[in-house]
Amino acid sequence: MSDLAINVTVTPEYRAEESSEAESRFVFSYTVSVHNGSPHSVQLMARYWKITHGSGEHQEVRGKGVVGQQPLIGPGQQFRYTSRAMLQTPVGVMEGVYTLLDTSTQRVFEVSIPTFRLAVPYQLH
């Protein structure tokens, strides 16, 4: 299966009410949509995220599935979820990889999650 048949989009959002500039805590939510454009069902088995802070420091997160699930995504279907990340700086980026299973062939494959920016919006005073 071509990983081009699996399309991942991410929409980040700054969570001002949960953040504290004084404590260098900048909280972001991000909503991920995984669209299965293939003719087979796939199961999202694992995730890997690389979170890079504006300082250049980065952290890596690995785990089974997403948000406590290993969702099965049928042909033409989409799975959507929202999660969170916390940065020590007002700007950073995230990128990653999902490990998926083609349920018809039992073949495991990876799909890259495009890099996306986490940034506190500019505010007028």
Side-chain angles (χ1 to χ4, degrees):
M1 172 183 303
S2 166
D3 52 335
L4 296 176
I6 307 298
N7 184 38
V8 179
T9 57
V10 183
T11 306
E13 183 180 334
Y14 177 58
R15 309 296 295 181
E17 68 282 358
E18 298 170 44
S19 300
S20 170
E21 187 172 349
E23 297 172 15
S24 296
R25 184 180 72 239
F26 302 91
V27 180
F28 298 86
S29 65
Y30 55 92
T31 300
V32 180
S33 295
V34 182
H35 180 263
N36 179 5
S38 80
H40 305 277
S41 291
V42 297
Q43 187 169 14
L44 200 162
M45 303 302 292
R47 72 188 179 286
Y48 162 78
W49 288 109
K50 179 179 178 185
I51 305 165
T52 304
H53 302 258
S55 61
E57 180 182 332
H58 74 269
Q59 64 192 89
E60 296 184 354
V61 178
R62 296 176 192 276
K64 288 178 85 172
V66 291
V67 294
Q69 302 177 54
Q70 289 183 310
L72 185 65
I73 310 166
Q77 292 185 337
Q78 176 175 282
F79 177 77
R80 228 177 122 130
Y81 72 95
T82 300
S83 192
R84 297 179 183 278
M86 192 178 338
L87 299 182
Q88 300 162 355
T89 58
V91 176
V93 294
M94 283 180 68
E95 60 190 301
V97 174
Y98 287 140
T99 302
L100 294 114
L101 172 71
D102 179 331
T103 60
S104 67
T105 64
Q106 298 301 300
R107 185 176 77 82
V108 173
F109 64 102
E110 293 186 337
V111 172
S112 294
I113 303 162
T115 302
F116 59 96
R117 188 169 185 251
L118 302 171
V120 174
Y122 294 129
Q123 297 178 8
L124 298 175
H125 295 282

